Amino acid sequence: GSTCESLSITAGNGAYVHITHPAGNCRVVGELTIRLWVKATRSDLQVMARVVLPESRDPQTGQPLSALVRGSFYKQVGAWQELRVSNFPQLVERQVRTLRSQHGPQVDSRGAYVDLVAINIYGGQGQTQVWIDDLEIDGAVPAGDISQAAGGASAAAATTVATQPA
């Protein structure tokens, strides 16, 4: 279209300033690709997606584990550039290995879904202007009601274990 989102930040020392947008709970499948267009006054902005692992819980909070998977970097300062995240199954498995080193071997990627798109717009100290347009999520398979699906699977597993002979 003829319009886009525009923002300007002034930042000090740091490593990230994330802006986010809901992704609608899309299952992690090979065809899933997130694309958007960015124009900025600095390079090295990056698109990411938050992946939720509903079968794995954070031992401190009891909430499902999640991780950011990283996509391409913005390099064409002052020009529009398409950024994307693709190859989700491979990116998720890489993150699962990292999470297993932190939380143990029980980290499970079954039922993984993307719930959030993020862009790290931190380009360094000082002012950064960013324009964002045309966020598209291709190959999306809706995850449905995640809480019911995860609860139903856990309840079924518990029933199976309970009915097995000792």
Side-chain angles (χ1 to χ4, degrees), residues 118-148:
I119 307 169
N120 182 3
I121 62 169
Y122 182 79
Q125 290 183 342
Q127 187 173 23
T128 303
Q129 292 180 297
V130 183
W131 296 266
I132 303 166
D133 203 8
D134 294 338
L135 171 62
E136 294 181 9
I137 302 175
D138 298 326
V141 175
D145 185 350
I146 300 302
S147 60
Q148 272 189 339

Side-chain angles (χ1 to χ4, degrees), residues 147-165:
S147 60
Q148 272 189 339
S154 298
T159 302
T160 302
V161 170
T163 58
Q164 290 180 351

Side-chain angles (χ1 to χ4, degrees), residues 21 64 66 71-72 127:
H21 190 277
S66 64
S72 58
Q127 187 173 23

Side-chain angles (χ1 to χ4, degrees), residues 54-135:
E55 298 297 323
S56 302
R57 300 287 169 178
D58 183 320
Q60 294 177 342
T61 66
Q63 296 298 312
L65 286 175
S66 64
L68 288 174
V69 295
R70 299 177 183 282
S72 58
F73 284 94
Y74 178 76
K75 296 292 185 188
Q76 299 174 359
V77 175
W80 286 100
Q81 179 184 338
E82 184 183 64
L83 301 184
R84 62 176 50 215
V85 184
S86 56
N87 300 317
F88 273 92
Q90 295 89 346
L91 294 172
V92 169
E93 285 309 314
R94 191 175 305 149
Q95 286 299 321
V96 165
R97 285 193 296 275
T98 301
L99 290 169
R100 284 180 181 149
S101 72
Q102 298 168 358
H103 299 287
Q106 70 278 8
V107 175
D108 187 349
S109 64
R110 286 180 295 165
Y113 63 94
V114 173
D115 73 337
L116 196 68
V117 176
I119 307 169
N120 182 3
I121 62 169
Y122 182 79
Q125 290 183 342
Q127 187 173 23
T128 303
Q129 292 180 297
V130 183
W131 296 266
I132 303 166
D133 203 8
D134 294 338
L135 171 62

